[in-house]
Amino acid sequence: MTQRFHRRLRIKGFLMAKTPLHVGGKGGNSESDQPLARNGKDEFYLPGTSLAGPMRSWMEKKYGHDSKLMRQLWGWQPTGGLLKSETGTASRLMVEDAPVMLEGEAFAEILDGIAIDRQWGSAATGFKYDCQILPRSSRVPLEILVELPLQPEDEKAIKLMMAQLCDALRNGEIRFGASVTRGMGRVELVDTWVMEEKWSSRSGIVAMLKATNGPANNQGIDLKEWVKSFPEPMQAAREDVTLVLHWRAVAPVMSKAGQDGMAVDMLPLVSSVGNGDVAMVIPGSSIKGVLRAHAERIVRTILDWPEVVGAGRDRYSKQLDLPLVRELFGSARDRDGNMGHRGAVAVEPVYSQSIPAEVWRQVVDALEPPSLMKALTNAKLRGAGIKPQIDLVFHVAVDRWTGGGADSMLYSTLEPCGMTWDPIRITLNPRGLEASYRDAAIFLLLLLLRDLAAGRLPIGFGANRGYGELAIDKAELSLGNGVSCVLAGETLGSLSTSLPKDRLETLSQSWQVWIRNCQREMQQQGAAHG
């Protein structure tokens, strides 16, 4: 059923991608296993449904799925069939499809991924894939239309809901697209204005028609000023558990690019960051994989979990099926088509300091090692006393019989040293976990922080070859319930001396209870099968 209205809100602005973004198209193609969505003009775009869905989900968590305000704003339909007297209503909120705007010479990038067999430490069978992504410098034009209800009290409530939604978009709290727990899809709303269109008068309609690219006749205002006009607080205190880790590379740290250079075999993975620059990047999936693998080691050791037998894809899927780890880090759809589970932990990619794209292009396109090293020297990325430094390093495999270089085993790598990196940001959404093991999951996450700070968890490419070692200088923790602290120096390695005592005792007790419950269940299952 349609709804009458006399006034309408028009909100326009841009969603600036702060991390890579992926909204998938149909099937795979020659470019990628998971291509981006394209519109009828063959442009990358975000469908209105892909924009409206996360917005509605955010509002449902705040106002409830079936509240009166949610029904008024988003519409509803009856669940009892077409013969019901209630016929439902259409949505008052409309979101337009949005073509993606790539900055300068930026282009859609390919991100490669593999799964690691937990027993052998090599690529798992049948789990090599790639994904087409939009770089973090992408801009997405956003246009939202909201038909305001006739009743003054409902109109005020709808305006407040939209102000809260826009404030959440400005703060990057709503993620869009796929792989959000791997750090993708974080955007921030910028360059935004709001206009209230008046459809009940001729002058109002004329002003609306003139306002094609911006507010007309002083009827539109900046979003920040509009949000400030509401006396109610925009956002409640967040319950998320967040870890912000300020770190530095002790050894060369990088993720390997999927392609080779002309004069070098292994290149660092780089991505566009806007302003004509690129930066080295370690994907959130890479850091999340390191954390998950170590969480699995902890749980397997404590519970004396039985070894997984078998082969192929089923064997790998069973390796990931561990209690608490599955809930924290998620699970994929199985071969029978059963739905997977989105994990509660999200890890954002980290970027190094930027490098001019033209400089990096000269490095990659160099035909011979001497010209490559000259390009690095000219760009002041190589030489005595230079920091950061990117150098061409040669490696050779040794023949175990002759002691000489193995045939066809000489290879080269670009090694970055002394780069400055963004902090590692880890977020745990406690609403995605059952209350019975929520604190146990937080404690396991703190154990991962302890071991990461102790230097036990290298990240990125070549972890078994001396790469990936890092040192954490400071960690900013928010543990929910208003508990937050900053750890630095020696306090990073000891949870007992660095966290609030009462909060730590609660988390530790929940961890011990969870262990005992799991051990009891394993004993009962063993007795039943015995």
Side-chain angles (χ1 to χ4, degrees):
M1 182 179 70
T2 59
Q3 303 180 84
R4 297 176 59 197
F5 69 95
H6 290 168
R7 288 184 299 280
R8 185 172 71 174
L9 284 180
R10 181 185 296 269
I11 303 171
K12 296 188 70 173
F14 292 92
L15 296 175
M16 176 68 72
K18 295 300 181 180
T19 63
L21 182 64
H22 174 82
V23 174
K26 182 180 179 181
N29 56 30
S30 59
E31 295 179 333
S32 173
D33 299 323
Q34 302 174 29
L36 291 163
R38 294 177 182 265
N39 60 18
K41 297 181 180 180
D42 201 32
E43 301 170 329
F44 297 125
Y45 86 118
L46 270 64
T49 52
S50 298
L51 293 168
M55 295 180 195
R56 178 168 186 165
S57 178
W58 182 88
M59 279 193 170
E60 286 177 346
K61 293 176 183 176
K62 187 175 184 63
Y63 291 96
H65 172 74
D66 201 33
S67 66
K68 175 187 174 183
L69 289 175
M70 287 297 296
R71 284 192 170 202
Q72 280 222 37
L73 182 60
W74 292 96
W76 65 281
Q77 55 185 349
T79 57
L82 297 178
L83 298 179
K84 297 284 289 184
S85 59
E86 296 180 307
T87 58
T89 58
S91 173
R92 289 185 178 273
L93 186 147
M94 293 157 281
V95 185
E96 300 289 343
D97 291 347
V100 177
M101 303 168 62
L102 296 174
E103 183 182 276
E105 299 181 2
F107 55 89
E109 302 169 353
I110 300 296
L111 183 63
D112 294 282
I114 59 171
I116 301 298
D117 187 287
R118 291 337 192 231
Q119 183 174 359
W120 305 114
S122 57
T125 303
F127 280 91
K128 170 70 171 70
Y129 63 93
D130 59 52
C131 175
Q132 195 174 31
I133 61 173
L134 299 167
R136 78 169 185 177
S137 57
S138 305
R139 288 166 64 91
V140 180
L142 178 68
E143 182 170 5
I144 303 175
L145 300 175
V146 184
E147 299 170 352
L148 299 174
L150 300 180
Q151 295 77 13
E153 64 276 7
D154 292 339
E155 176 183 325
K156 180 180 179 181
I158 294 296
K159 285 183 176 180
L160 175 61
M161 292 175 69
M162 293 308 302
Q164 292 172 333
L165 174 67
C166 292
D167 198 55
L169 289 170
R170 285 174 51 211
N171 295 328
E173 297 179 18
I174 303 177
R175 294 176 181 259
F176 297 89
S179 301
V180 295
T181 63
R182 301 178 187 177
M184 294 192 190
R186 183 167 70 86
V187 300
E188 292 181 3
L189 185 59
V190 299
D191 301 336
T192 311
W193 58 267
V194 181
M195 179 178 176
E196 185 173 327
E197 301 172 349
K198 299 177 181 179
W199 286 57
S200 57
S201 66
R202 181 181 182 276
S203 60
I205 294 176
V206 171
M208 175 197 70
L209 295 175
K210 290 182 178 179
T212 54
N213 297 314
N217 300 330
N218 297 320
Q219 294 189 25
I221 61 174
D222 181 78
L223 177 66
K224 293 181 181 179
E225 298 300 322
W226 186 65
V227 169
K228 289 179 182 178
S229 66
F230 293 89
E232 293 85 351
M234 286 294 100
Q235 304 293 337
R238 300 189 64 181
E239 301 177 2
D240 291 351
V241 175
T242 59
L243 283 67
V244 180
L245 312 180
H246 300 265
W247 64 287
R248 52 189 166 83
V250 177
V253 174
M254 71 180 206
S255 284
K256 181 180 175 298
Q259 74 281 353
D260 299 338
M262 301 295 292
V264 64
D265 298 314
M266 298 181 185
L267 288 168
L269 178 65
V270 300
S271 178
S272 172
V273 293
N275 300 320
D277 293 342
V278 298
M280 297 181 189
V281 58
I282 302 176
S285 57
S286 177
I287 303 174
K288 185 179 177 182
V290 170
L291 297 176
R292 175 169 192 152
H294 192 61
E296 291 172 0
R297 285 192 288 269
I298 293 173
V299 171
R300 283 197 185 96
T301 302
I302 290 175
L303 299 181
D304 194 19
W305 198 260
E307 182 179 352
V308 175
V309 296
R313 296 177 64 93
D314 288 340
R315 177 172 177 270
Y316 173 73
S317 298
K318 291 177 181 177
Q319 288 178 343
L320 303 185
D321 192 19
L322 284 171
L324 198 58
V325 178
R326 176 180 56 245
E327 288 74 20
L328 267 178
F329 294 95
S331 61
R333 183 193 301 267
D334 62 23
R335 297 186 65 181
D336 297 328
N338 298 320
M339 289 296 294
H341 172 75
R342 173 180 286 188
V345 169
V347 185
E348 292 193 7
V350 294
Y351 293 84
S352 73
Q353 61 201 81
S354 60
I355 301 171
E358 181 59 32
V359 170
W360 188 251
R361 190 178 299 112
Q362 294 174 7
V363 171
V364 174
D365 293 344
L367 298 178
E368 299 293 338
S371 58
L372 185 148
M373 288 187 283
K374 181 179 179 181
L376 289 171
T377 302
N378 292 340
K380 296 183 179 180
L381 294 174
R382 176 181 178 272
I386 292 178
K387 286 187 178 182
Q389 183 162 183
I390 303 175
D391 206 355
L392 177 63
V393 179
F394 293 91
H395 300 270
V396 63
V398 175
D399 188 291
R400 271 41 176 184
W401 177 254
T402 65
D407 187 33
S408 302
M409 288 295 178
L410 176 67
Y411 62 95
S412 57
T413 308
L414 277 186
E415 293 186 353
C417 298
M419 303 294 291
T420 301
W421 294 86
D422 291 341
I424 298 174
R425 300 180 184 275
I426 305 171
T427 304
L428 185 149
N429 178 9
R431 294 179 296 275
L433 301 171
E434 292 185 11
S436 59
Y437 54 75
R438 186 172 298 166
D439 283 347
I442 297 175
F443 191 83
L444 178 57
L445 190 63
L446 292 177
L447 293 179
L448 298 180
L449 168 62
R450 180 200 63 185
D451 291 345
L452 192 63
R456 299 170 186 156
L457 304 180
I459 62 175
F461 165 76
N464 293 332
R465 306 177 191 176
Y467 291 9
E469 185 179 356
L470 57 89
I472 298 178
D473 296 321
K474 184 177 70 172
E476 302 171 12
L477 276 65
S478 175
L479 302 180
N481 300 324
V483 178
S484 61
C485 58
V486 177
L487 311 183
E490 296 180 357
T491 59
L492 278 166
S494 175
L495 299 178
S496 59
T497 60
S498 55
L499 299 179
K501 185 176 180 180
D502 55 345
R503 182 62 173 147
L504 182 60
E505 288 180 355
T506 301
L507 297 175
S508 179
Q509 290 173 4
S510 298
W511 173 247
Q512 296 297 330
V513 169
W514 177 83
I515 292 174
R516 289 194 294 269
N517 290 339
C518 286
Q519 291 173 339
R520 188 181 303 111
E521 290 179 6
M522 293 174 63
Q523 291 173 358
Q524 293 173 352
Q525 293 176 0
H529 287 83

